[in-house]
């Protein structure tokens, strides 16, 4: 009885947790034998029948026997071997012709394998790179039996350590051999031409000329030789080539290739580079304090996961917006986009078995899994719009479906209005004065508005007239007559620094006035003290004519005055102090 009650309580607890969860547990197979990462997962309607399948670039157990798998529901529908480990998988539309079924692109080694209707359609190979001249010369000497295998090995190792360009595949394989195997390898391959081939490190898609969801897209490739290539979706020719300071490992693009696009590339040197349509080299650089483990674009924000167990939000110009610390190391990241509610969020799989969902720096939801998640993919699967697919470190497969009634709320709180909305505000009662004023505004609203507009126009008119009068008379705020001494108040804002090198100059009509000192230097002005500077003006005219004397304060070596004033002098003959 005790055992039965215990099992019943566990079942009730599981039902309660599932009822409170936003997800439905659709499938869990710990023995699915799927070993991959987020870049090698893609969801697409490969046959145009409305049934979305899951495309997996499987690394195989221990990185052995890589395979391309296509899942329908929880079962593997088809699988085929791959010649090299997959780097990325993507689905895209190549053309506008009907039926509009997307093509599948799988990057593996130096090639991109394109499938249509799950059948091989095209194989694009990266262009070969010129070999190292020193390496070529060594193999030519080996071909003519001028050097022995041991000397060849030593010279190739020296080139590998010093040269910037990596060695060819043939030389790298030769350096891995034992001494007893080297001579046979040289005899077998010394006649072959040296070929240096780069490989694809990352891949994504970019809309060609329309922003529609079903528009034609281009493939964007990142290569080991620090380049980005944009491929034509029909002819698979290289439309654009861009250079980077380091090897790209994560890519995020926005826009259209024919119009304007922005490309963000996270590289192995710990930096994120931003490129535009017409730029062959990066326009902006975001320097990270640790290596990136994921790059996701949410609206206009670049969300970066780092090896310091943190998420960072950046603008496309490199300004850091926020940082969120994770409780464990980040293993994988991907985008959660719920079209029905216009939601975009970031999913982060952690080493402690949690999958955390963030909108900016706000935590929306936490999913606990039985094993650490190594890849994430969210979208339409089968005929369900909001399906979350996860693979675990042990090769397991987890499929969850978002409930149709689920709403993500910041902080994980319950759906509904905030608690402050239920509090009553202490609104004062309406007074008799308020009621009378309200009635007056209703009855005479038009007249009140006209009166306000009249006063406003009069104020503007007076200000304009005063401004015009000031411009015509060239008057400054300081003016006086000759009956009172001229006072210029210049305030030294510094309380510790004295003022040096000031000059005072008087500009006047020499036919009307005479000044004994029309120009003199100002002594050292100490803060906090007043310095009277006086001169006398003699009127030379006996006709009562008056004029303006300009007083200028200048600094030595500068023509623009620091301070100016106009003095209206009397026209009668005599002396006046200024």
């Amino acid at each position: 009885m005790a055992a039965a009650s215990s099992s019943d309580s566990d079942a009730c607890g599981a039902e309660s947790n599932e009822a409170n969860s936003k997800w439905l547990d659709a499938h869990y197979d710990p023995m699915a034998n799927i070993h991959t990462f987020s870049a090698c997962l893609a969801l697409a309607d490969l046959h145009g029948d409305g049934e979305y399948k899951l495309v997996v670039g499987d690394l195989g157990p221990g990185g052995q026997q890589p395979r391309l798998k296509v899942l329908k529901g929880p079962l593997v529908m088809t699988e085929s071997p791959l010649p090299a480990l997959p780097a990325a998988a993507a689905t895209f539309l190549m053309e506008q012709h009907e039926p509009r079924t997307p093509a599948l692109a799988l990057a593996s080694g130096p090639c991109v394998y394109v499938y249509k209707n799950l059948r091989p359609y095209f194989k694009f190979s990266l262009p070969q790179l010129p070999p190292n001249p020193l390496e070529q010369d060594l193999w030519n000497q080996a071909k003519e039996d001028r050097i022995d295998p041991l000397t060849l090995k030593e010279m190739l190792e020296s080139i590998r350590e010093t040269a910037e360009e990596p060695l060819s595949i043939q030389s790298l394989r030769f350096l891995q051999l034992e001494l007893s195997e080297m001579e046979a390898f040289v005899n077998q391959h010394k006649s072959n031409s040296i070929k240096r081939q780069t490989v694809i490190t990352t891949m994504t898609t970019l809309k060609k000329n329309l922003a529609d969801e079903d528009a034609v897209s281009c493939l964007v490739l990142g290569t080991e030789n620090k380049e980005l290539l944009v491929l034509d979706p029909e002819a698979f020719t290289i439309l654009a080539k861009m250079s980077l300071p380091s090897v790209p490992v994560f890519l995020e693009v926005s826009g259209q290739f024919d119009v304007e696009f922005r490309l963000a590339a996270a590289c192995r040197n710990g930096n994120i580079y931003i490129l535009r349509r017409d730029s062959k080299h990066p326009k902006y650089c975001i320097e990270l304090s640790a290596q990136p483990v994921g790059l996701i674009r949410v609206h206009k924000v670049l969300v970066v996961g780092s090896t310091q167990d943190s998420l960072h939000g950046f603008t496309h110009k490199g300004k850091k917006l926020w940082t969120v610390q994770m409780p464990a190391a980040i293993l994988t990241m991907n985008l959660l986009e719920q079209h029905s509610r216009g939601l975009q969020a970031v999913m982060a799989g952690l080493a402690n078995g949690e999958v955390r969902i963030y909108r900016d720096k706000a935590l929306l939801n936490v999913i606990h899994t039985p094993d650490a998640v190594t890849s994430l993919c969210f979208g339409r699967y089968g005929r369900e719009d909001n399906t979350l697919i996860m693979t675990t470190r042990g090769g397991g497969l987890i499929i969850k479906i978002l409930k149709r009634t689920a709403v993500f709320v910041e902080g994980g709180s319950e759906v509904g209005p905030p608690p402050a909305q239920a509090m009553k505000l202490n609104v004062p009662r309406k007074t008799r004065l308020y009621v009378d004023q309200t009635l007056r505004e209703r009855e005479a609203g038009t007249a009140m508005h006209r009166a306000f507009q009249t006063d406003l126009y009069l104020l503007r008119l007076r200000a304009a007239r005063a401004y015009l009068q000031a411009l015509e008379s060239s008057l400054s705020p300081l003016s006086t007559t000759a009956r009172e001494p001229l006072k210029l108040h210049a305030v030294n804002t510094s309380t510790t620094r004295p003022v040096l090198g000031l000059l005072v100059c008087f500009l006047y009509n020499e036919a009307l006035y005479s000044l004994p000192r029309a120009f003199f230097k100002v002594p050292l002005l100490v803060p906090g003290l007043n310095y009277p500077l006086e001169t006398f003006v003699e009127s030379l005219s006996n006709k009562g004519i008056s004029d303006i004397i300009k007083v200028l304060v200048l600094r030595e070596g500068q023509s623009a005055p620091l301070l100016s004033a106009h003095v209206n002098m009397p026209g009668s003959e005599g002396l006046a102090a200024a």
Side-chain angles (χ1 to χ4, degrees):
M1 291 294 293
S5 61
S6 175
S7 61
D8 292 343
S9 62
D10 293 342
C12 292
E15 292 176 0
S16 175
N17 292 334
E18 185 174 354
N20 296 329
S21 174
K22 295 178 173 58
W23 303 90
L24 295 174
D25 295 329
H27 177 72
Y28 173 49
D29 182 9
M31 306 299 293
N33 197 24
I34 297 177
H35 303 271
T36 186
F37 47 96
S38 298
C40 290
L41 293 181
L43 292 168
D45 182 10
L46 298 176
H47 298 94
D49 55 358
E51 190 82 15
Y52 278 64
K53 280 85 175 177
L54 174 65
V55 178
V56 181
D58 192 357
L59 305 177
Q64 304 294 327
Q65 300 176 351
R67 306 183 72 82
L68 171 63
K69 297 181 179 180
V70 179
L71 280 75
K72 180 179 180 181
L75 304 176
V76 177
M77 189 171 67
T78 61
E79 61 177 305
S80 56
L82 293 174
L85 292 175
T91 58
F92 67 106
L93 286 171
M94 298 172 49
E95 53 195 8
Q96 298 284 357
H97 304 304
E98 298 291 340
R100 307 203 61 200
T101 56
L104 167 63
L106 188 77
S108 177
C111 302
V112 177
Y113 302 94
V114 182
Y115 299 83
K116 290 201 72 174
N117 295 320
L118 293 181
R119 296 179 181 178
Y121 178 79
F122 189 82
K123 174 186 174 182
F124 171 81
S125 298
L126 294 176
Q128 293 186 2
L129 304 177
N132 190 318
L134 296 177
E135 179 188 4
Q136 182 72 57
D137 183 62
L138 288 176
W139 281 103
N140 290 337
Q141 294 182 32
K143 180 179 180 180
E144 298 171 359
D145 296 329
R146 288 190 289 170
I147 57 174
D148 57 286
L150 186 58
T151 306
L152 177 63
K153 178 185 178 182
E154 294 176 354
M155 297 296 291
L156 288 176
E157 287 180 345
S158 176
I159 294 175
R160 183 172 62 175
E161 294 175 357
T162 58
E164 295 182 358
E165 298 177 352
L167 296 176
S168 64
I169 299 296
Q170 178 174 318
S171 298
L172 292 176
R173 288 178 179 174
F174 173 74
L175 293 177
Q176 294 176 352
L177 299 176
E178 300 293 337
L179 291 176
S180 58
E181 302 173 343
M182 288 183 179
E183 185 174 358
F185 184 89
V186 170
N187 294 331
Q188 180 180 358
H189 295 89
K190 63 182 180 181
S191 300
N192 299 340
S193 59
I194 300 298
K195 298 179 181 179
R196 193 164 67 91
Q197 183 75 57
T198 185
V199 295
I200 300 171
T201 57
T202 181
M203 180 177 66
T204 187
T205 58
L206 170 65
K207 300 295 183 183
K208 183 74 165 59
N209 47 28
L210 296 175
D212 300 338
E213 189 174 349
D214 58 346
V216 175
S217 300
C218 305
L219 290 177
V220 183
L221 309 179
T223 65
E224 189 72 31
N225 62 322
K226 308 175 185 178
E227 286 185 341
L228 295 176
L229 306 178
V230 182
L231 303 184
D232 184 84
E234 295 182 350
F236 290 99
T237 56
I238 299 176
L239 298 177
K241 181 184 293 186
M242 291 162 277
S243 299
L244 292 172
S246 182
V247 179
V249 289
F250 300 105
L251 289 178
E252 275 294 335
V253 297
S254 61
Q256 300 89 47
F257 178 79
D258 291 340
V259 183
E260 179 62 37
F261 68 87
R262 184 182 281 110
L263 194 151
C267 299
R268 287 184 188 159
N269 62 354
N271 294 338
I272 299 175
Y273 298 98
I274 312 297
L275 299 97
R276 304 290 292 270
R277 182 177 186 271
D278 298 326
S279 60
K280 299 296 182 183
H281 300 281
K283 187 174 181 63
Y284 301 102
C285 174
I286 303 174
E287 295 184 0
L288 303 177
S289 57
Q291 288 291 326
V293 295
L295 176 65
I296 303 295
R297 181 178 61 87
V298 181
H299 298 299
K300 295 184 178 181
V301 178
L302 291 175
V303 182
V304 185
S306 70
T307 53
Q308 291 180 337
D309 307 344
S310 57
L311 288 178
H312 308 278
F314 294 92
T315 65
H316 281 89
K317 292 187 177 181
K319 180 182 178 182
K320 181 181 284 190
L321 301 176
W322 48 265
T323 299
V324 178
Q325 194 65 31
M326 298 288 108
I330 302 174
L331 300 182
T332 185
M333 293 172 55
N334 214 331
L335 177 68
L336 184 149
E337 186 171 10
Q338 191 179 5
H339 296 283
S340 60
R341 300 187 183 273
L343 172 69
Q344 283 191 354
V346 174
M347 302 181 295
L350 308 182
N352 62 353
E354 290 182 354
V355 175
R356 294 191 162 219
I357 302 174
Y358 285 89
R359 180 169 55 194
D360 292 334
K361 60 179 180 180
L363 178 63
L364 301 182
N365 190 235
V366 179
I367 303 174
H368 298 276
T369 57
D371 193 4
V373 172
T374 56
S375 67
L376 293 163
C377 186
F378 183 87
R380 184 179 177 88
Y381 187 42
R383 298 188 181 274
E384 286 291 336
D385 286 331
N386 303 313
T387 305
L388 174 60
I389 300 172
M390 300 174 281
T391 64
T392 64
R393 183 179 291 168
L397 174 65
I398 303 174
I399 301 177
K400 291 180 178 289
I401 300 174
L402 184 64
K403 295 180 180 178
R404 290 180 172 85
T405 57
V407 177
F408 291 108
V409 180
E410 295 182 5
S413 59
E414 295 297 328
V415 180
Q421 186 171 331
M423 297 175 59
K424 292 185 178 181
L425 299 178
N426 188 16
V427 180
R429 296 182 60 185
K430 296 179 181 179
T431 62
R432 183 63 185 175
L433 178 62
Y434 173 81
V435 175
D436 293 343
Q437 183 67 18
T438 305
L439 294 176
R440 176 175 171 272
E441 291 177 357
R442 287 181 182 177
E443 295 173 357
T446 305
M448 294 173 66
H449 178 71
R450 288 176 180 173
F452 172 77
Q453 292 294 325
T454 302
D455 294 341
L456 180 61
Y457 287 135
L458 287 175
L459 178 63
R460 292 176 177 172
L461 179 61
R462 291 170 185 167
R465 285 175 177 173
Y467 180 64
L468 179 61
Q469 184 180 1
L471 292 177
E472 290 177 349
S473 60
S474 299
L475 292 178
S476 70
L478 294 175
S479 64
T480 182
T481 64
R483 297 174 185 174
E484 299 178 359
L486 174 64
K487 297 179 181 179
L488 301 179
H489 297 280
V491 180
N492 183 8
T493 57
S494 175
T495 59
T496 58
R497 295 177 56 188
V499 179
L500 299 170
L502 296 184
L503 306 173
V504 177
C505 177
F506 296 94
L507 301 180
Y508 59 94
N509 190 345
E510 296 181 357
L512 299 179
Y513 302 111
S514 173
L515 277 76
R517 295 180 63 192
F519 174 83
F520 54 85
K521 293 185 177 181
V522 178
L524 176 70
L525 300 181
V526 179
L529 299 180
N530 295 326
Y531 293 82
L533 304 175
E534 296 182 353
T535 188
F536 287 92
V537 181
E538 181 182 0
S539 178
L540 304 179
S541 175
N542 57 2
K543 298 181 181 180
I545 301 175
S546 64
D547 200 0
I548 295 174
I549 295 180
K550 297 181 179 179
V551 185
L552 305 177
V553 180
L554 307 95
R555 188 181 295 277
E556 290 185 3
Q558 296 182 1
S559 59
L562 300 176
L563 186 65
S564 64
H566 292 187
V567 183
N568 292 321
M569 302 302 297
S572 58
E573 186 176 356
L575 297 176

